[in-house]
Amino acid sequence: MDPAEAEFLAEKELVTVIPNFSLDRIYLIGGDLGPFNPGLPVEVPLWLAVNLKQRQKCRLIPPEWMDAEKLEEIRDQERKEDTFTPMPNPYYMELTKLLLNYASDSIPKADEIRTLVKDTWDTRIAKLRLSADSFVRQQEAHAKLDNLTLMEINTTGTFLTQALDHMYKLRTNLQPGESAQSQDF
Amino acid sequence: MERMKHEKSYTICGLAWHPKGGQIAYTDTEGNLGLLENVCNRDGKKSSGKVSSAVTKDYNDLFDEDDDFLNTDLIEPRSSPKVVSNEEDDDDDDLMLASGHPRHRGAIIEDDENSLDTALMKVNSNLEKDDDNDQDGSIPVLPVSTTQRPFYDGPVPTPQQKPFQSGSTPSHLTHHFMVWNSIGIIRCYNDEQDNAIDVEFHDTSIHHATHLPNSLNHTMADLSSEAILLACESTEELASKLHCVHFSSWDSNKEWTVDMPKDEDIEAICLGQGWAACATSAMLTRVFTIGGLQKEIFSLPGPVVSMAGHGEQLVVIYHRGTGFDGDQCLGVQLIELGKKKRQVLHGDLLPLTRKSYLMWVGFSAEGTPCYVDSEGIVKMLNRGLGNTWLPVCDTREYCKGKSDHYWVIGIHENPQQLRCIPCKGARFPPTLPRPAVAILSFKLPYCQITTEKGQMEEQFWRSVVFHNHLDYLSKNGYEYDENAKNEAAKEQQELLMKLFALSCKLEREFRCVELADFMTQNAVNLAIKYASRSRKLILAQRLSEMAVEKATEMAAPEEDDDEEDDFRNHLNAGYSNSTTEWSQPRVRNLLHEQDLEDSKETNAVEEVEEMPEMQKFRQNPFCKTVGLPEMSTPKSAVITSSSQGRVNPFKVSANQKDSTAHSANILDNMSKFSKNTPTPNSRAVNKQKSPVIKPLIPKPKSKQALAATFFQPRPPHAGDKTVEEKEEKAENILPEIQAAATENKRPKTGFQMWLEENRESILADNPDLEEADIIKEGMSRFRVLSSDERMVWTEKAKGGAASNSAEAKKRKRPADAKNEGKEKLKEKSEEDSSLPKKRKPLDPSTNVRLSAFAFKQS
């Protein structure tokens, strides 16, 4: 799975927009959307929100957690704890990225939020690396990592499993090497 | 003042404070000493020789606690005049004694407030207005002795609230909303670099966002889908101006301005559809067309508070008088400025919550006036109850914090939405960050809302109230959604059925009947079914009576409307002739019912589900064009043949008969009960049977219905009765009831006689006509006849009516080829007269049969 796929999944997340047009309920495979009343908040999937925003058909209301103060708290908490803390949204990174890219005008303190989310992200990725490192070092058979989001797993998942594979091969090769030697005789 | 002095010197209680009233107004409130002396002197003169020491002591006791250093001399004279009043009017004195002390204290507390002085000034200036209150002594002015300051401790007049625009935030803020309504938002920026107005539309298809310079310093604004209306107050050089940007105009000149006369300031403005209005400080309301023509002007009875427009309705709120103790005294005028100009609300009092002021006034999207007071209570005009105001929502209930408020921006009745902006710790929102709209639901303040009953009652009445606008719209010739109306009716009937089922479960039968009173015909029929299935026989009987009553009530006013009495009779004649055709669907209905009754599902929900189907019949042709029932007779036949017995244009009349048939069924049940359990109770039930029938129902009809059942041909053993027999029975009963009913009501008419004569010729012309069509054809032919000829027939009919009726009955009968029981019928009609005597002896045996039958049914 690559990040684009994770982002695709994140686009199903609902966000609130205020449309500036009037449209009756629309019926989609994924569910009914609308009705759209000008000036009235309505929940739509992120993909539609971004699309409408790009066409200047709506204003976006940032998710509740997308607030500088709250994110600051989350960041501090993340830094304080050794383990992963629960995130406000399983797609927090994707949402932040998309919303700030396309609708930064309707999000107050957009830059600050961008920094805070990036900080949190960095902290978590650092933790992830660290734990992967200790996992390999101590040759553990299993580890429990709670509160990881899809995107985070994505960053190291493939790499880690492949690396472990290789290491396994190397290790097993080590022993067969010995036995092969013995077989040579 | 002079005038008042005289008055008070007679009624005396005024003496205590009135002279002071005169003086405080002119002197500094700090200079109490001189003032009090004045009081002493004046009172001394007047009360000479009349001082009663006992009362004086009373007053001393009263004031001693607070007024340590107040000398008794001061009080004595003041109280002494009261003594005289005591002698005259004891009640007044009691009132004084009781209320004087606490008030005194309250006033002392108030001393701390800076506003006291101004308040006092107002009080004094208001004294003249309060003559009424003076009379009963409830507004005495007593001196604040501790501070050596005179004060007023009666009800304090509330400062009148200033005029405002709905949906605006205070204009002293550098950034504020001038309007936020369902069309858009107008913001005003008034900082050092810029003084501008931003207009933004929720729906960009109305108009794009605009930016206007605010060089004139506009303070008021309104926005509609046609125009932007701005107004400013006058300055030293410039007059007060009304400025309109009519963006939907099709010419290139989109703006106009109107200057107010000198010394007249605009205080409130609003926009309607095709017009604009402003209220000015001269207590005038000026109406303009949206293009800038001046139209009506009318005077307001008081200073304006706010106004709002919608469509052609204009609502103006103004000060009707002075409110007391924090209350405002507001009046409301609702005027329709359309073609038929009329005033709907004639300056009635606006019922605000206590100690609150008006926050918002406007219309719902559907055009019902609403307002919100500072306590967060949303009230809506209930046009269904003589234009009263109904609280529909308490926004404070939704607030989390004590200082949180909801700032209302719009009300929608369909869907039911209260659009507002949540404000944390404030009454209004800031412009930045841009506030988000929240939607609250309405809730009428009904009691016991936690119980199922209370909940459903609230829902029912809310549904009723929030669909009043449909009636209003249809009455005023607006377009409206017929579907919405039907859905509303359906929803209401469903709720009623649920409530009915609930009351049934709780054994509240009287309540059930009350509920049935709200129901439509079809719902009542369902209710009857429900009641009879849940073995509430008395209830079922009462309901069926009610159904009959309703049907007659429904038919009665419409008959009155009929202009041609004669014509109606013809129709009725045709009616009875076509008995066969339209008794058919009823039979079906009955069978259907029996099927239903056979089925074990007896829950109300199931019945409620049937409702939508039933709902259609509300607009049945019978109730609308009662004058032409037989036009629809063929229709009913057609529908019957298409095996949809329920879609019956005769539904109402069918119901009527249906219910009689029902009562027959119910009576069956009853007799069964009386047989099985011969308790006094059931006997009473039996007795009730016939006397209970209400005067509105033609009595003989139901009797004959009974008779019909009694004379049914029946196999001796009821046990082996089959469904077919049931069918037979139904078929037999119903035509009879029908025939009996029509014959009883209507003697033969001229048309009928004419038809008999001319039937052959009609048939000759159109041999393949059915009975109904023959009548139709006959009708059109009869109508062609000259009025003289018709008169002849009518006369004939009148003469022969009495003697003819029996014969006609027989003659009609053979026409009913399908009627199997016609032999019996004749027998019956012969025995009709002897029925009352014969009935009793017959009863037991029939009862045995019927009860067995009924037993099987259930």
Side-chain angles (χ1 to χ4, degrees):
Chain A
M1 191 188 249
D2 57 23
E5 281 174 277
E7 193 182 273
F8 176 79
L9 292 176
E11 282 179 355
K12 280 187 186 160
E13 204 69 3
L14 292 178
V15 292
T16 312
V17 297
I18 299 175
N20 58 17
F21 60 93
S22 179
L23 187 71
D24 218 4
R25 191 177 282 270
I26 52 174
Y27 305 97
L28 304 176
I29 293 177
D32 302 346
L33 297 178
F36 298 90
N37 289 314
L40 261 201
V42 61
E43 281 208 332
V44 295
L46 183 61
W47 59 265
L48 185 61
V50 169
N51 182 285
L52 289 174
K53 181 68 199 168
Q54 280 175 320
R55 292 190 288 145
Q56 301 196 319
K57 290 271 184 198
C58 74
R59 254 175 340 101
L60 208 131
I61 295 182
E64 211 173 307
W65 54 267
M66 202 175 277
D67 171 77
E69 273 177 37
K70 277 185 190 146
L71 286 172
E72 208 164 325
E73 238 171 71
I74 288 167
R75 182 197 61 186
D76 293 345
Q77 185 73 11
E78 188 66 53
R79 283 182 177 165
K80 211 163 63 187
E81 302 241 343
D82 284 336
T83 54
F84 296 97
T85 54
M87 281 291 103
N89 186 294
Y91 300 105
Y92 76 100
M93 193 59 195
E94 298 93 311
L95 280 175
T96 315
K97 180 120 178 130
L98 284 169
L99 291 182
L100 290 181
N101 275 359
Y102 296 106
S104 52
D105 54 338
S106 37
I107 298 171
K109 299 187 187 172
D111 291 336
E112 211 172 307
I113 288 171
R114 201 191 295 269
T115 324
L116 283 168
V117 173
K118 185 84 172 80
D119 283 354
T120 317
W121 169 265
D122 286 345
T123 319
R124 288 168 71 88
I125 294 300
K127 272 187 202 171
L128 192 60
R129 289 207 186 112
L130 207 69
S131 63
D133 181 55
S134 63
F135 178 73
V136 172
R137 235 181 247 280
Q138 293 166 22
Q139 299 213 350
E140 296 286 351
H142 66 274
K144 185 174 155 190
L145 293 171
D146 283 343
N147 300 325
L148 271 182
T149 66
L150 184 63
M151 190 60 110
E152 286 157 358
I153 295 168
N154 224 358
T155 51
T156 128
T158 25
F159 170 73
L160 185 66
T161 43
Q162 276 178 5
L164 288 175
D165 253 1
H166 278 299
M167 273 163 46
Y168 175 73
K169 268 185 205 153
L170 291 175
R171 285 216 186 92
T172 44
N173 275 347
L174 213 61
Q175 286 157 346
E178 283 162 15
S179 58
Q181 239 177 6
S182 58
Q183 268 174 1
D184 276 348
F185 284 106
Chain B
M1 282 307 178
E2 282 302 316
R3 184 181 57 79
M4 283 185 71
K5 209 189 281 177
H6 286 298
E7 232 177 72
K8 297 316 156 193
S9 64
Y10 293 125
T11 52
I12 301 150
C13 65
L15 269 179
W17 43 270
H18 184 260
K20 243 176 293 136
Q23 298 217 330
I24 294 163
Y26 302 108
T27 55
D28 182 11
T29 39
E30 250 74 60
N32 290 316
L33 199 61
L35 189 78
L36 289 172
E37 278 170 1
N38 265 339
V39 172
C40 287
N41 292 338
R42 196 166 292 173
D43 289 344
K45 284 176 210 158
K46 278 171 190 165
S47 62
S48 56
K50 282 191 174 180
V51 179
S52 138
S53 55
V55 178
T56 310
K57 262 178 206 160
D58 275 351
Y59 276 90
N60 279 336
D61 294 342
L62 197 67
F63 289 107
D64 263 349
E65 295 155 39
D66 292 319
D67 316 340
D68 288 336
F69 58 90
L70 185 75
N71 51 8
T72 42
D73 291 347
L74 248 178
I75 295 163
E76 256 176 333
R78 253 191 299 110
S79 52
S80 52
K82 266 180 205 111
V83 177
V84 186
S85 82
N86 290 345
E87 286 154 6
E88 289 167 8
D89 193 346
D90 277 346
D91 292 351
D92 280 1
D93 187 54
D94 289 346
L95 208 126
M96 274 299 296
L97 286 172
S99 56
H101 194 203
R103 256 190 228 138
H104 196 84
R105 263 207 183 135
I108 286 162
I109 290 160
E110 254 183 353
D111 269 355
D112 299 341
E113 292 174 21
N114 297 332
S115 63
L116 181 68
D117 289 358
T118 51
L120 275 174
M121 296 298 283
K122 264 184 210 133
V123 169
N124 289 324
S125 63
N126 279 321
L127 276 178
E128 280 176 315
K129 293 180 196 166
D130 306 327
D131 272 356
D132 293 345
N133 293 336
D134 293 350
Q135 300 298 342
D136 59 31
S138 62
I139 313 182
V141 176
L142 299 170
V144 185
S145 39
T146 40
T147 54
Q148 290 289 302
R149 243 168 30 160
F151 73 104
Y152 165 79
D153 66 352
V156 181
T158 325
Q160 297 194 333
Q161 81 174 102
K162 289 192 179 120
F164 68 94
Q165 288 297 118
S166 288
S168 65
T169 53
S171 58
H172 58 79
L173 303 168
T174 52
H175 291 191
H176 69 271
F177 290 112
M178 293 177 94
V179 171
W180 185 323
N181 62 18
S182 56
I183 303 295
I185 303 166
I186 301 182
R187 268 167 306 193
C188 182
Y189 300 98
N190 190 10
D191 42 25
E192 273 136 29
Q193 330 101 321
D194 200 13
N195 190 352
I197 293 172
D198 252 353
V199 187
E200 189 187 306
F201 294 85
H202 294 316
D203 192 342
T204 44
S205 64
I206 294 177
H207 195 255
H208 57 80
T210 43
H211 184 84
L212 306 165
N214 190 13
S215 50
L216 287 168
N217 206 6
H218 292 299
T219 50
M220 289 156 267
D222 199 5
L223 183 64
S224 78
S225 53
E226 295 175 319
I228 304 164
L229 190 66
L230 300 162
C232 61
E233 281 160 9
S234 63
T235 56
E236 274 172 22
E237 313 92 72
L238 292 168
S240 178
K241 272 190 176 61
L242 189 68
H243 180 193
C244 180
V245 183
H246 181 211
F247 53 77
S248 71
S249 158
W250 44 264
D251 66 5
S252 57
N253 219 340
K254 301 208 184 290
E255 296 190 26
W256 54 269
T257 336
V258 170
D259 280 11
M260 291 297 122
K262 215 176 164 239
D263 302 327
E264 192 172 327
D265 273 335
I266 297 175
E267 293 191 316
I269 57 175
C270 72
L271 277 168
Q273 198 177 8
W275 54 269
C278 69
T280 65
S281 55
M283 305 219 281
L284 284 178
T285 305
R286 298 168 179 274
V287 183
F288 302 84
T289 63
I290 200 69
L293 288 174
Q294 300 196 44
K295 281 172 78 189
E296 293 90 349
I297 296 180
F298 60 90
S299 270
L300 283 174
V304 71
V305 177
S306 193
M307 62 201 295
H310 181 277
E312 53 194 34
Q313 300 177 84
L314 166 69
V315 64
V316 189
I317 312 259
Y318 56 87
H319 288 290
R320 244 177 84 130
T322 311
F324 285 92
D325 283 340
D327 297 342
Q328 294 286 335
C329 178
L330 304 179
V332 56
Q333 278 187 324
L334 178 63
I335 297 162
E336 284 174 8
L337 296 167
K339 286 212 176 88
K340 45 169 183 180
K341 307 197 188 307
R342 64 193 186 107
Q343 195 171 350
V344 182
L345 294 179
H346 305 260
D348 309 341
L349 264 175
L350 196 71
L352 289 171
T353 317
R354 296 230 55 189
K355 301 204 188 300
S356 72
Y357 51 91
L358 192 68
M359 287 288 279
W360 185 89
V361 61
F363 289 86
S364 72
E366 287 77 9
T368 311
C370 306
Y371 68 88
V372 184
D373 59 33
S374 57
E375 292 296 311
I377 309 287
V378 184
K379 289 190 186 167
M380 182 185 259
L381 189 72
N382 186 358
R383 298 198 206 256
L385 185 65
N387 290 337
T388 48
W389 295 95
L390 174 76
V392 290
C393 183
D394 182 1
T395 58
R396 294 308 299 273
E397 260 180 39
Y398 295 93
C399 292
K400 283 172 199 130
K402 212 176 179 185
S403 53
D404 293 356
H405 292 87
Y406 279 97
W407 193 65
V408 174
I409 54 172
I411 290 171
H412 287 239
E413 289 179 67
N414 189 26
Q416 294 178 16
Q417 287 179 337
L418 176 65
R419 299 182 183 180
C420 45
I421 294 168
C423 309
K424 248 191 179 165
R427 283 196 172 272
F428 50 84
T431 51
L432 281 174
R434 208 190 152 93
V437 179
I439 291 172
L440 302 183
S441 51
F442 294 107
K443 198 170 98 190
L444 305 191
Y446 275 80
C447 303
Q448 294 182 306
I449 213 88
T450 45
T451 66
E452 209 180 345
K453 173 174 164 281
Q455 222 167 3
M456 283 194 281
E457 283 165 342
E458 191 267 340
Q459 279 177 5
F460 173 70
W461 286 109
R462 182 147 48 87
S463 173
V464 169
V465 168
F466 278 84
H467 289 96
N468 274 342
H469 70 269
L470 291 171
D471 293 334
Y472 175 76
L473 290 180
S474 64
K475 211 189 286 172
N476 286 270
Y478 287 104
E479 271 181 34
Y480 67 100
D481 194 1
E482 192 74 45
N483 285 345
K485 196 172 188 173
N486 292 343
E487 258 168 50
K490 188 180 129 194
E491 184 193 348
Q492 286 158 22
Q493 296 301 320
E494 276 176 22
L495 282 167
L496 281 176
M497 272 319 286
K498 280 184 195 164
L499 266 172
F500 181 87
L502 186 73
S503 315
C504 253
K505 246 179 251 165
L506 298 175
E507 308 272 324
R508 293 276 190 182
E509 301 195 6
F510 189 84
R511 206 179 271 168
C512 286
V513 175
E514 285 176 326
L515 274 169
D517 208 24
F518 293 123
M519 293 183 187
T520 60
Q521 276 290 330
N522 306 295
V524 170
N525 283 352
L526 284 173
I528 293 170
K529 259 184 247 167
Y530 185 87
S532 51
R533 242 186 282 165
S534 46
R535 311 227 164 200
K536 306 223 180 300
L537 302 173
I538 304 170
L539 176 62
Q541 196 195 4
R542 281 190 183 273
L543 287 178
S544 60
E545 279 160 15
M546 177 182 275
V548 175
E549 219 170 289
K550 271 195 174 184
T552 41
E553 262 169 40
M554 223 168 147
E558 277 155 324
E559 273 176 27
D560 290 345
D561 292 342
D562 262 329
E563 287 160 4
E564 268 192 310
D565 219 22
D566 201 26
F567 182 59
R568 195 184 74 221
N569 282 339
H570 313 155
L571 298 171
N572 290 336
Y575 210 64
S576 52
N577 262 350
S578 59
T579 306
T580 339
E581 276 92 344
W582 70 285
S583 64
Q584 201 63 18
R586 264 184 291 121
V587 174
R588 208 175 278 271
N589 269 355
L590 201 73
L591 287 178
H592 186 56
E593 269 164 37
Q594 284 163 349
D595 289 348
L596 275 178
E597 276 165 15
D598 285 342
S599 71
K600 295 279 155 87
E601 299 160 344
T602 49
N603 53 344
V605 184
E606 175 224 356
E607 279 173 358
V608 170
E609 275 162 15
E610 285 170 26
M611 297 287 301
E613 195 196 346
M614 308 293 285
Q615 222 56 59
K616 290 174 204 154
F617 307 133
R618 293 191 71 221
Q619 273 89 27
N620 71 47
F622 183 78
C623 60
K624 269 182 194 159
T625 58
V626 77
L628 294 169
E630 65 186 7
M631 295 305 234
S632 39
T633 310
K635 231 193 266 172
S636 80
V638 169
I639 289 163
T640 318
S641 61
S642 69
S643 87
Q644 259 207 315
R646 301 206 126 230
V647 185
N648 179 358
F650 268 114
K651 192 64 191 180
V652 174
S653 62
N655 284 343
Q656 186 180 342
K657 310 302 176 226
D658 213 30
S659 49
T660 13
H662 240 296
S663 61
N665 272 351
I666 291 149
L667 290 175
D668 289 354
N669 286 345
M670 273 183 199
S671 30
K672 173 198 125 192
F673 269 69
S674 64
K675 187 197 140 224
N676 290 349
T677 54
T679 59
N681 225 356
S682 61
R683 219 172 286 148
V685 166
N686 257 341
K687 265 185 226 157
Q688 257 184 354
K689 208 157 35 177
S690 41
V692 155
I693 293 163
K694 299 209 173 150
L696 265 170
I697 316 157
K699 267 190 188 179
K701 183 171 71 182
S702 46
K703 264 185 203 161
Q704 276 170 13
L706 268 177
T709 31
F710 295 148
F711 289 102
Q712 256 354 265
R714 287 200 190 283
H717 292 290
D720 49 14
K721 271 187 187 169
T722 60
V723 180
E724 282 96 303
E725 274 164 353
K726 268 189 222 169
E727 200 171 345
E728 186 191 63
K729 176 207 161 200
E731 264 180 46
N732 284 339
I733 300 170
L734 292 165
E736 278 173 56
I737 298 166
Q738 169 55 31
T742 42
E743 274 155 23
N744 261 309
K745 269 189 202 157
R746 295 126 191 160
K748 252 174 156 219
T749 62
F751 170 70
Q752 224 169 333
M753 294 178 76
W754 177 88
L755 187 67
E756 274 158 31
E757 293 272 335
N758 293 279
R759 178 184 291 271
E760 291 310 313
S761 68
I762 294 170
L763 272 175
D765 290 352
N766 308 291
D768 49 357
L769 274 189
E770 282 181 27
E771 181 67 25
D773 292 340
I774 291 172
I775 292 150
K776 215 200 255 178
E777 177 69 19
M779 277 284 293
S780 49
R781 288 187 189 201
F782 188 74
R783 248 181 276 181
V784 175
L785 294 179
S786 73
S787 57
D788 283 345
E789 277 175 292
R790 268 191 271 179
M791 279 304 289
V792 171
W793 282 107
T794 321
E795 285 306 312
K796 236 192 223 179
K798 273 180 195 163
S803 59
N804 261 357
S805 60
E807 190 204 345
K809 206 188 291 170
K810 281 175 205 164
R811 213 185 286 181
K812 248 175 285 150
R813 222 46 75 193
D816 304 345
K818 291 177 201 167
N819 199 339
E820 292 144 356
K822 55 187 163 186
E823 305 295 316
K824 298 287 168 192
L825 261 175
K826 273 184 198 164
E827 189 187 314
K828 175 214 130 197
S829 59
E830 278 159 25
E831 282 179 10
D832 243 350
S833 52
S834 58
L835 178 78
K837 282 170 244 158
K838 285 207 173 181
R839 200 159 126 208
K840 265 180 194 163
L842 265 174
D843 251 325
S845 60
T846 23
N847 274 356
V848 173
R849 282 183 234 152
L850 290 175
S851 60
F853 169 68
F855 183 70
K856 250 193 76 196
Q857 240 182 11
S858 54

